[in-house]
C-alpha cells in the first residue's frame, strides 16, 4: 500500500522536474518564435533553457533509479543463486549510495565555492551557485533512493521473489 | 606519463624551499583552442623554454583543444591546482569581474600593440589580478586579435546596414548592447551548431578574428566580410597561486622566464597568424571583403557612444581612460 | 600505469556487481583520479559541465518528441499507414526503419538523437509485425549511427576545424558512404526477413490504404516540418526537436484526441527518466575520458602507432584498431580532438587524402556508438524500448559486421568518399 507521505513527496519531485522540463521546452519554442516569426531575437533564452533542462535532468537521476531506468549489466547476476543475488544487491546499492553521497558533498562544495566567488552567468547574470544547485539536489535525491533500495533489500531479505525490483514505496 | 608531480612539488617545496636546485615537478597546462592557434604556439614556447632551462627537471604537459578541461570548468580546476596554467578568454570572466568587459568595448584599442600595452600597464595588471582571491594569478594578456563581421545578407558599410540582421554572439551583455545599438539582434548559438546555423540561415552572421573565421571555415558559408576591428578577443594567461608560491627561487625564476617566453611567442604569433588568415580568406574567395574607410568608421564610433556611457561606470572610468590613453 | 589498471579492473568488477553503468564509470574514474592526486571537487564540477552542455540538448527534445508520438496516437497511425502499403512485403518495415533513420540523420548532426526519434516509433511496430525485438533494436541502434555520416555532422565539423579541411567538402564526402551503408543495411534486412519470414502481414486493399494514409497525414507532416524548419534556417536541430514535440503534442490533443492529463504526465516522466539515464552516463564517461587523457593514454597509443607504422596499410590497420579501442570508452568528439593532431603528420607522410580519412574516422565513430561499455546508441535504444542492455548488444552484433564491411569498402575505394568532390 502506498503511503501518503511518500506519494506526496514523489508528487512534489515529479512536479518540480516536470516544471523545469516543460518550462525549458516552452522557452526553447519562445526563442524560435521571437527570432524567426517576430525577427527580434532574445538572447536570454538559450541560457535559461539549458539551466531548466539541467535541473529537470538532475532531479531525474533519482526518479530514474526509483523506476529502475539506470542501465546495468545482468550478465553475472542472472546466474547467481538467490542468496548471492541479495548480497550483490547490497554491495551494488551501497556503492551507488557511496557514489551519490560523495557527489552530493562535492556538489555542496561546488555551490559554496561559486557562492564565495560570486560569479554570474554571462548572458543573463544568474548567480552561478544557483545553477550549480542542480548537482547537490540531484545527487541528494539519487542518494535517497539508493538508501531506500538498500533498506528495502534488508526488509525483504527472507522473501524469495523480488529483490532489486521491489517497489520503493512499499517501505512507507 | 605519470601523475602526482605537482603534489611531490608541493611537499618538496615545503621541506626544502631554501635548498638550491631546480625542483622536479610536472606542470599541466590546459587550454581550449586548437593547435594551429597563437595560444598553442605560446603554450609550446612556454613548455620548451622551461624544459630546456630546467634541463628536463620540470616537465610541462600541454593539453590543447579543451581535451582536459573546457572553458566552463578550467578556472575551477586551476583554482584547485589540477592544472597549474591555463589561458581563458577574458570576456568569459565578466561573470567574475565586470572589468573583463574591456575587450568588448568597440574601438577602445587601435591595434594589438595598444591592447598589449594596456594589459601590461598597472591598470591592466590590476584587472588581471582580480582572481587572486580565488587562488589564481593573472600573468599576462595574450591577444587573439580584433574581430570582424561576416554575414550572408549584404555588404556592411554603415550602421544602417546592420538593421534587422541576426548575429551570433558568444555571450555577454556588452556585446548584446553593441549589436543592439546597430539594431541587430543577437542570438546565442553553441559552436557545434554555428557552422550549420550560418549555412542554413538560422543566423545571418557572426563576428570573429580572422584566425577564427578562417580556421573554423565560416567563410565557406558566408558571403560578406567587413574589416572593422571594433571589439576584440583577448585571453588571459593564468596560474595557480598555491603552485607558484610553492616554488623555490631558482625554480620560480625559470618558470617566470618561461611565462615571458610564452607570452612573447603568443603575441608575435597572433599578429602573424591573423595576417596569414586574412590572406587565406581572400585567396579562398568565398567572401566579398570590404575594408571600412575612416569616415565610415566614424559613423560606428558615434552609434556606439551610448555603449560607453552605459558601461564606463560599471567597468570604472579610470580603466577606460587609461585604455584610451595608451599609444597617445 | 597502475591507476589505469585500477580504473579498468574496478570498472569491470563494478559492472559485474550490477552497479548501474553510469555509477560504475563514475566510481572507477574517481578511484583512479584520486590515485594520481587530482583534487576531486573540480572533477565533479566537470561532470556537471559535461551534462549541461548545449551540444547535448537535442537529446531531451527528440526523446520527448518520440515519446509523445508513441503515446499520443501519431506513431500508431503512421505505422498503420506504412503497414498497409508494405506490411505484406517481407522486410518492408525494416527497410522503412532504415530509410527513416537516413532521412532523420540528414537533419540531425547526432546519432543518439536519430536513434531516439526513430526507435520510439519503429521498434514497437517492427515487433508487432513479427520481427524479433533483438533484431529490431539492433537495427535502430545501427542505422541511427548514420546521423554522423550523412550531413550535417558534429564530428565532421570538428574534424574540419582540426585538420583545416573544408567542412562543406567533408559533408559532401559523407553522402555516398552514408548511402552505401544504408544500402548494405537494406540488403541485409531483405535477406534476413526472407530467412526468418519476418514482417509478412496480410496484404491490404487500396481503399484501406488510402483511408489509413489520410488518418496518418498529420504524422507524415512531422518530418517535413523538421526538415523544412532546419533547412529553411528557421531553427537549429535542438530547437527543431522541441518544435517537433510541440507539434506532436498539439496533434495528439486535437486530431487524435489521445492526450489526457494522465497520459501527458506519463510522457513527461518517461522523457525525464530516459534523458536522465543517458546524461548520467555521459557525465561519468566524461571523467572516465578525462583520466585517460590526463594519463596521456590515447596520446601514447596514437604516438605508438605513429612510430610503429611502416607502411600506409599497417598504419591504416593500426589506426582503425586504435579508434575501435578508444571508441569503446570515449565519445567521438574527444577521440578526434585528442588523436587527430598526432595522426595528421603521418597522414601527410603516407599521402593519405585527409577528406577520405575523415570518412574512415567517422565510420569508426559510428562503430563507437554501438560498442559497449560506452555506446550511446545502445543506451538510448535500451532506454526507449525498456530492454536489457545485453539484449541490445546481441541485437547489434550482426550490424556491427555490416558497418565493418562498409568501412573496408570505403578504405579500399577512396572514390566512394571523394567522387562527389570536384
Ligand atoms: Na547528420
Ligand atoms: Na563505444
Amino acid at each position: 500500500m502506498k503511503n501518503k507521505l511518500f506519494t506526496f513527496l514523489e508528487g512534489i519531485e515529479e512536479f518540480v522536474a516536470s516544471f523545469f522540463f516543460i518550462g525549458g521546452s516552452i522557452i526553447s519554442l519562445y526563442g524560435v518564435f521571437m527570432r524567426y516569426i517576430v525577427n527580434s531575437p532574445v538572447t536570454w533564452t538559450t541560457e535559461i533553457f539549458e539551466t531548466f533542462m539541467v535541473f529537470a535532468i538532475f532531479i531525474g537521476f533519482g526518479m530514474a533509479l526509483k523506476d529502475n531506468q539506470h542501465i546495468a549489466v545482468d550478465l553475472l547476476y542472472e546466474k547467481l543463486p538467490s542468496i548471492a543475488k541479495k548480497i550483490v544487491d547490497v554491495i551494488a546499492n551501497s556503492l551507488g549510495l557511496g557514489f551519490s553521497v560523495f557527489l552530493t558533498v562535492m556538489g555542496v562544495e561546488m555551490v559554496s565555492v561559486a557562492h564565495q566567488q560570486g560569479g554570474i552567468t554571462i548572458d543573463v547574470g544568474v548567480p552561478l551557485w544557483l545553477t550549480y544547485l542542480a548537482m547537490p539536489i540531484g545527487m541528494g535525491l539519487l542518494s535517497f533512493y539508493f538508501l531506500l533500495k538498500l533498506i528495502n533489500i534488508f526488509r525483504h531479505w527472507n522473501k524469495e521473489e523480488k529483490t532489486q525490483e521491489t517497489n520503493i514505496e512499499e517501505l512507507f | 606519463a605519470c601523475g602526482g608531480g605537482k603534489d611531490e612539488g608541493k611537499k618538496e617545496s615545503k621541506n626544502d624551499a631554501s635548498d638550491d636546485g631546480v625542483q622536479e615537478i610536472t606542470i599541466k597546462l590546459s587550454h581550449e583552442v586548437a593547435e594551429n592557434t597563437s595560444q598553442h604556439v605560446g603554450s609550446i614556447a612556454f613548455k620548451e623554454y622551461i624544459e630546456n632551462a630546467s634541463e628536463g627537471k620540470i616537465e610541462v604537459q600541454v593539453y590543447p583543444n579543451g581535451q582536459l578541461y573546457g572553458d566552463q570548468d578550467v578556472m575551477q580546476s586551476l583554482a584547485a591546482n589540477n592544472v597549474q596554467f591555463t589561458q581563458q578568454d577574458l570576456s568569459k570572466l565578466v561573470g567574475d569581474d565586470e572589468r573583463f568587459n574591456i575587450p568588448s568595448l568597440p574601438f577602445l584599442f587601435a591595434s594589438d600593440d595598444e591592447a598589449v600595452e594596456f594589459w601590461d600597464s598597472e591598470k591592466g595588471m590590476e584587472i588581471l589580478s582580480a582572481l587572486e582571491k580565488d587562488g589564481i594569478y593573472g600573468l599576462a594578456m595574450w591577444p587573439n586579435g580584433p574581430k570582424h563581421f561576416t554575414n550572408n545578407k549584404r555588404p556592411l558599410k554603415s550602421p544602417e546596414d546592420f538593421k534587422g540582421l541576426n548575429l551570433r554572439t558568444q555571450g555577454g551583455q556588452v556585446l548584446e548592447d553593441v549589436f543592439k545599438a546597430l539594431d541587430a539582434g543577437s542570438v546565442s548559438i553553441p559552436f557545434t551548431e554555428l557552422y550549420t546555423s550560418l549555412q542554413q540561415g538560422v543566423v545571418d552572421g557572426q563576428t570573429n578574428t580572422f584566425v577564427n573565421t578562417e580556421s573554423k571555415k565560416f567563410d565557406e558559408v558566408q558571403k560578406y566580410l567587413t574589416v572593422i576591428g571594433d571589439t576584440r578577443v583577448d585571453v588571459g594567461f593564468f596560474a595557480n597561486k598555491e603552485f607558484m608560491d610553492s616554488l623555490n627561487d631558482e625554480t620560480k625564476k625559470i618558470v617566470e622566464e618561461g611565462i615571458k617566453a610564452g607570452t612573447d611567442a603568443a603575441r608575435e604569433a597572433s599578429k602573424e597568424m591573423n595576417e596569414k588568415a586574412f590572406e587565406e580568406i581572400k585567396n579562398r574567395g568565398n567572401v566579398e571583403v570590404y575594408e571600412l574607410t575612416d569616415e565610415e568608421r566614424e559613423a560606428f564610433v558615434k552609434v556606439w557612444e551610448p555603449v560607453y556611457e552605459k558601461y564606463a561606470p560599471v567597468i570604472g572610468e579610470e580603466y577606460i581612460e587609461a585604455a584610451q590613453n595608451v599609444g597617445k | 600505469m597502475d591507476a589505469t589498471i585500477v580504473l579498468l579492473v574496478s570498472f569491470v568488477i563494478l559492472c559485474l556487481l550490477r552497479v548501474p553503468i553510469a555509477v560504475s564509470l563514475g566510481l572507477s574514474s574517481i578511484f583512479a583520479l584520486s590515485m594520481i592526486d587530482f583534487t576531486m571537487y573540480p572533477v565533479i564540477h566537470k561532470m556537471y559541465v559535461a551534462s549541461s552542455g548545449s551540444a547535448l540538448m537535442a537529446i531531451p527534445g527528440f526523446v520527448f518528441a518520440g515519446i509523445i508520438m508513441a503515446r499520443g496516437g501519431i506513431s500508431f497511425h503512421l505505422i498503420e499507414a506504412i503497414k498497409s502499403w508494405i506490411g505484406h512485403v517481407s522486410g518492408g518495415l525494416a527497410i522503412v526503419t532504415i530509410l527513416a533513420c537516413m532521412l532523420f540523420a540528414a537533419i540531425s548532426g547526432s546519432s543518439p538523437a536519430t536513434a531516439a526519434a526513430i526507435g520510439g516509433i519503429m521498434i514497437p511496430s517492427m515487433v508487432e509485425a513479427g520481427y524479433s525485438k533483438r533484431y529490431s533494436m539492433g537495427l535502430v541502434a545501427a542505422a541511427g549511427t548514420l546521423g554522423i555520416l550523412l550531413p550535417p555532422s558534429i564530428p565532421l565539423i570538428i574534424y574540419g576545424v582540426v585538420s583545416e579541411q573544408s567542412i562543406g567538402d567533408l559533408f559532401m564526402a559523407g553522402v555516398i558512404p552514408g548511402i552505401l551503408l544504408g544500402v548494405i543495411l537494406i540488403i541485409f534486412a531483405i535477406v534476413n526477413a526472407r530467412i526468418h519470414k519476418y514482417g509478412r502481414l496480410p496484404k491490404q486493399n487500396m481503399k484501406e490504404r488510402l483511408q489509413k494514409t489520410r488518418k496518418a497525414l498529420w504524422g507524415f507532416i512531422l518530418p517535413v516540418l523538421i526538415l523544412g524548419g532546419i533547412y529553411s534556417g528557421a531553427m537549429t536541430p535542438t530547437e527543431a526537436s522541441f518544435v517537433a514535440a510541440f507539434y506532436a503534442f498539439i496533434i495528439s490533443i486535437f486530431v487524435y484526441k489521445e492526450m489526457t492529463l494522465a497520459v501527458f504526465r506519463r510522457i513527461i516522466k518517461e522523457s525525464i527518466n530516459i534523458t536522465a539515464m543517458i546524461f548520467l552516463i555521459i557525465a561519468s564517461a566524461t571523467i572516465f575520458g578525462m583520466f585517460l587523457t590526463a594519463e596521456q593514454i590515447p596520446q601514447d597509443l596514437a604516438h605508438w602507432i605513429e612510430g610503429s607504422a611502416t607502411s600506409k596499410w599497417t598504419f591504416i590497420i593500426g589506426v582503425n584498431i586504435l579508434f575501435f579501442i578508444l571508441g569503446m570508452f570515449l565519445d567521438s568528439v574527444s577521440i578526434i580532438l585528442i588523436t587527430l593532431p598526432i595522426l595528421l603528420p603521418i597522414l601527410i607522410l603516407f599521402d593519405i587524402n585527409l577528406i577520405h580519412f575523415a570518412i574512415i574516422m567517422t565510420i569508426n565513430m559510428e562503430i563507437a556508438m554501438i560498442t559497449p561499455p560506452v555506446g550511446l546508441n545502445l543506451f538510448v535504444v535500451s532506454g526507449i524500448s525498456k530492454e536489457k542492455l545485453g539484449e541490445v548488444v546481441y541485437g547489434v552484433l550482426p550490424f556491427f559486421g555490416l558497418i565493418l564491411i562498409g568501412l573496408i569498402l570505403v578504405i579500399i575505394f577512396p572514390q566512394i568518399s571523394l567522387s562527389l568532390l570536384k
Side-chain angles (χ1 to χ4, degrees):
Chain A
M1 214 188 79
K2 274 202 179 188
N3 174 291
K4 272 185 192 153
L5 177 69
F6 186 83
T7 314
F8 179 69
L9 287 176
E10 199 185 20
I12 290 183
E13 176 189 62
E14 197 187 316
F15 176 80
V16 174
S18 307
F19 168 81
F20 283 115
F21 196 84
I22 298 168
S25 308
I26 292 173
I27 291 168
S28 173
L29 294 174
Y30 177 75
V32 182
F33 179 78
M34 288 304 284
R35 188 187 62 246
Y36 188 67
I37 314 274
V38 185
N39 197 33
S40 139
V42 260
T43 327
W44 57 267
T45 49
T46 311
E47 216 174 79
I48 301 292
F49 153 72
E50 284 174 17
T51 310
F52 271 44
M53 278 297 153
V54 167
F55 268 91
I57 291 165
F58 275 61
I59 294 172
F61 292 159
M63 290 167 59
L65 182 67
K66 181 179 63 191
D67 297 340
N68 293 307
Q69 283 271 354
H70 286 296
I71 292 176
V73 178
D74 288 320
L75 213 66
L76 179 71
Y77 185 85
E78 281 176 341
K79 298 186 177 69
L80 294 175
S82 144
I83 180 74
K85 274 187 180 156
K86 292 200 168 162
I87 293 168
V88 166
D89 281 343
V90 171
I91 298 171
N93 284 290
S94 307
L95 287 166
L97 180 63
F99 172 76
S100 46
V101 167
F102 178 68
L103 261 65
T104 311
V105 174
M106 288 294 142
V108 170
E109 194 178 336
M110 243 173 81
V111 171
S112 77
V113 170
H115 189 260
Q116 271 168 31
Q117 298 183 345
I120 53 175
T121 63
I122 287 178
D123 285 334
V124 189
V126 182
L128 274 180
W129 68 267
L130 213 61
T131 65
Y132 291 174
L133 267 183
M135 188 78 178
I137 292 174
M139 289 303 161
L141 287 169
L142 189 62
S143 315
F144 177 67
Y145 286 116
F146 269 122
L147 183 66
L148 288 190
K149 283 202 159 208
L150 205 51
I151 297 172
N152 226 13
I153 296 163
F154 288 114
R155 285 178 49 118
H156 293 270
W157 192 264
N158 292 320
K159 287 188 193 159
E160 258 306 302
E161 12 49 294
K162 38 186 186 173
T163 48
Q164 184 96 345
E165 263 70 37
T166 32
N167 286 329
I168 282 164
E169 55 259 34
E170 284 176 26
L171 266 176
F172 285 80
Chain B
C2 77
K6 66 184 193 303
D7 243 38
E8 285 152 29
K10 238 183 294 176
K11 280 167 215 143
E12 205 174 311
S13 67
K14 260 178 212 143
N15 302 335
D16 23 88
S18 58
D19 281 10
D20 285 338
V22 177
Q23 292 158 279
E24 281 194 31
I25 48 177
T26 305
I27 293 174
K28 284 189 165 68
L29 184 161
S30 165
H31 68 72
E32 57 151 342
V33 293
E35 309 192 26
N36 49 3
T37 56
S38 58
Q39 275 170 254
H40 192 64
V41 171
S43 304
I44 294 301
F46 169 79
K47 169 190 168 80
E48 281 172 355
Y49 181 90
I50 291 178
E51 288 184 347
N52 284 337
S54 66
E55 287 162 345
K57 282 191 176 155
I58 308 178
E59 187 194 349
V60 180
Q61 299 169 342
V62 177
Y63 297 87
N65 275 320
Q67 52 180 239
L68 199 51
Y69 295 105
D71 60 358
Q72 289 180 71
D73 49 22
V74 72
M75 295 311 270
Q76 309 283 349
S77 306
L78 183 69
N81 207 12
N82 280 0
V83 289
Q84 287 69 50
F85 290 88
T86 193
Q87 299 119 33
Q88 172 81 316
D89 185 342
L90 293 179
S91 68
K92 286 180 182 148
L93 296 170
V94 295
D96 295 296
D97 195 309
E98 294 273 8
R99 292 175 295 177
F100 288 115
N101 273 312
I102 290 267
S104 299
L105 285 175
F107 299 131
L108 188 55
F109 303 108
S111 64
D112 276 5
D113 290 340
E114 283 193 19
V116 161
E117 195 184 326
F118 168 75
W119 288 102
D120 280 351
S121 76
E122 197 187 313
K123 280 277 176 275
M125 287 309 292
E126 208 180 302
I127 303 176
L128 283 177
S129 312
L131 302 178
E132 235 167 84
K133 61 176 171 49
D134 306 332
I136 293 170
Y137 282 131
L139 306 169
M141 184 280 271
W142 292 11
N144 272 17
K147 294 196 279 187
H148 311 280
F149 286 100
T150 65
N151 89 105
N152 260 334
K153 290 273 169 175
R154 49 185 170 263
L156 304 173
K157 301 177 180 176
S158 71
E160 290 74 44
D161 292 335
F162 281 79
K163 203 172 168 149
L165 287 186
N166 287 333
L167 302 170
R168 187 256 184 168
T169 168
Q170 42 268 78
Q173 279 150 357
V174 177
L175 282 182
E176 196 182 335
D177 283 327
V178 165
F179 290 174
K180 212 182 262 170
L182 301 167
D183 273 332
S186 34
V187 183
S188 105
I189 293 207
F191 165 67
T192 46
E193 286 190 350
L194 181 54
Y195 181 90
T196 29
S197 295
L198 290 169
Q199 187 174 35
Q200 286 150 3
V202 176
V203 284
D204 302 311
Q206 57 103 31
T207 172
N208 241 315
T209 61
F210 287 135
V211 166
N212 270 334
T213 296
E214 190 269 334
S215 68
K216 303 202 160 65
K217 317 287 170 199
F218 295 139
D219 62 315
E220 284 181 8
V221 286
Q222 295 278 273
K223 293 198 184 97
Y224 306 99
L225 167 72
T226 299
V227 180
I228 177 168
D230 51 334
T231 58
R232 298 182 49 84
V233 182
D234 287 322
V235 306
F237 190 32
F238 294 97
N240 175 274
K241 185 167 184 284
E242 178 192 338
F243 164 79
M244 289 295 277
D245 294 347
S246 75
L247 302 175
N248 66 25
D249 290 345
E250 202 171 330
T251 315
K252 191 171 217 155
K253 186 162 170 285
I254 292 175
V255 172
E256 277 172 352
E257 278 164 3
I259 292 167
K260 188 161 183 317
T263 302
D264 290 344
R267 287 173 174 177
E268 182 103 349
S270 170
K271 260 194 264 184
E272 271 173 31
M273 290 174 128
N274 271 316
E275 277 166 31
K276 231 176 86 189
F278 186 34
E279 285 309 309
E280 179 65 25
I281 290 171
K282 284 195 273 195
N283 286 340
R284 290 210 287 244
N286 293 322
V287 286
E288 186 184 310
V289 177
Y290 185 78
E291 299 191 47
L292 289 183
T293 64
D294 283 347
E295 295 96 76
E296 284 165 339
R297 195 175 294 260
E298 274 310 304
F300 285 94
V301 172
K302 239 196 168 64
V303 168
W304 281 324
E305 269 166 12
V307 177
Y308 274 85
E309 274 158 34
K310 181 169 172 188
Y311 287 99
V314 179
I315 294 169
E317 306 272 5
E318 71 266 35
Y319 299 100
I320 293 175
E321 221 163 274
Q324 281 164 338
N325 286 334
V326 160
K328 266 144 217 157
Chain C
M1 217 49 201
D2 302 347
T4 312
I5 291 165
V6 167
L7 176 85
L8 296 175
V9 170
S10 63
F11 173 71
V12 171
I13 292 175
L14 287 167
C15 279
L16 289 178
L17 288 174
R18 209 183 184 229
V19 174
I21 288 186
V23 177
S24 305
L25 279 168
L27 264 183
S28 53
S29 313
I30 289 171
F31 295 151
L33 281 162
S34 51
M35 280 180 73
I36 57 167
D37 293 321
F38 263 60
T39 306
M40 269 310 140
Y41 137 74
V43 170
I44 305 310
H45 186 263
K46 191 180 175 75
M47 287 182 78
Y48 169 84
V49 170
S51 46
S52 59
S54 33
L56 299 170
M57 289 299 162
I59 294 177
F62 283 119
V63 166
F64 190 29
I67 294 176
I68 295 180
M69 290 175 73
R71 302 249 177 276
I74 293 183
S75 303
F76 173 77
H77 291 289
L78 269 178
I79 293 163
E80 283 298 305
I82 296 171
K83 273 197 313 208
S84 75
W85 289 95
I86 55 158
H88 62 286
V89 181
S90 192
L93 274 182
I95 297 170
V96 169
T97 303
I98 296 163
L99 291 175
C101 278
M102 288 170 72
L103 183 70
F104 195 86
I107 58 170
S108 110
S110 136
S111 288
T114 308
I118 305 301
I121 305 166
M122 292 312 292
I123 294 173
S125 62
M126 285 177 69
V127 170
E128 203 193 316
Y131 290 81
S132 91
K133 192 164 188 186
R134 253 187 200 178
Y135 173 76
S136 312
M137 293 188 302
L139 180 72
V140 167
T145 64
L146 291 171
I148 56 168
L149 187 55
L150 290 165
S153 153
I154 292 174
L156 282 177
I157 291 178
I158 307 283
Y159 184 101
V161 170
V162 175
S163 68
E164 306 194 309
Q165 297 300 300
S166 154
I167 293 164
D169 286 355
L170 290 170
F171 280 4
M172 287 300 280
V175 173
I176 295 182
I179 293 172
L180 173 74
L181 277 178
V183 169
I184 292 176
L185 293 181
I186 287 174
I187 293 171
F188 175 75
I190 293 171
V191 173
N192 198 50
R194 289 276 145 86
I195 294 170
H196 291 97
K197 305 254 185 309
Y198 281 156
R200 264 192 204 274
L201 298 171
K203 190 171 177 177
Q204 302 190 20
N205 64 37
M206 203 43 93
K207 197 179 151 219
E208 279 174 306
R209 286 176 179 173
L210 291 177
Q211 195 189 358
K212 283 178 174 161
T213 307
R214 205 173 314 128
K215 201 89 211 262
L217 207 59
W218 293 103
F220 283 113
I221 292 176
L222 189 67
V224 180
L225 179 82
I226 303 178
L227 269 171
I230 294 177
Y231 276 113
S232 69
M235 49 213 182
T236 64
T238 302
E239 290 167 341
S241 69
F242 288 96
V243 170
F246 179 68
Y247 172 84
F249 175 68
I250 297 294
I251 297 302
S252 306
I253 292 180
F254 294 108
V255 180
Y256 298 124
K257 302 195 169 51
E258 289 195 21
M259 189 61 72
T260 61
L261 195 63
V263 172
F264 186 62
R265 197 176 147 186
R266 193 167 148 214
I267 289 172
I268 296 283
K269 201 173 162 197
E270 253 184 273
S271 306
I272 295 174
N273 274 350
I274 292 174
T275 314
M277 176 271 288
I278 297 168
F279 273 59
L280 190 58
I281 293 174
I282 293 174
S284 292
T286 304
I287 61 169
F288 196 92
M290 192 182 83
F291 170 84
L292 295 179
T293 312
E295 285 290 274
Q296 311 219 329
I297 308 282
Q299 294 93 321
D300 288 348
L301 285 174
H303 278 303
W304 182 75
I305 285 171
E306 187 190 14
S308 56
T310 48
S311 73
K312 180 174 163 177
W313 292 107
T314 54
F315 169 73
I316 288 200
I317 292 166
V319 107
N320 278 287
I321 294 170
L322 168 79
F323 290 155
F324 180 80
I325 294 170
L326 294 179
M328 290 167 67
F329 299 99
L330 300 176
D331 70 285
S332 49
V333 172
S334 305
I335 296 174
I336 297 172
L337 287 178
I338 294 169
T339 61
L340 188 57
I342 300 168
L343 299 175
L344 276 175
I346 195 146
L347 289 169
I348 291 160
L349 183 76
F350 285 132
D351 199 22
I352 296 168
N353 185 301
L354 290 184
I355 291 183
H356 178 218
F357 189 74
I359 304 305
I360 296 175
M361 193 163 191
T362 307
I363 298 176
N364 272 288
M365 298 305 115
E366 286 190 72
I367 294 173
M369 300 274 181
I370 51 171
T371 50
V374 184
L376 275 193
N377 275 22
L378 300 174
F379 303 140
V380 169
V381 168
S382 161
I384 53 176
S385 54
K386 309 225 181 318
E387 269 294 342
K388 286 174 182 160
L389 182 64
E391 289 291 303
V392 187
V393 174
Y394 278 125
V396 96
L397 274 177
F399 298 100
F400 173 78
L402 294 176
I403 298 179
L404 208 59
I405 292 173
L407 173 64
I408 292 169
L409 287 175
V410 167
I411 290 175
I412 298 176
F413 304 106
Q415 307 90 293
I416 296 173
S417 9
L418 300 177
S419 59
L420 279 188
L421 305 176
K422 68 244 160 201

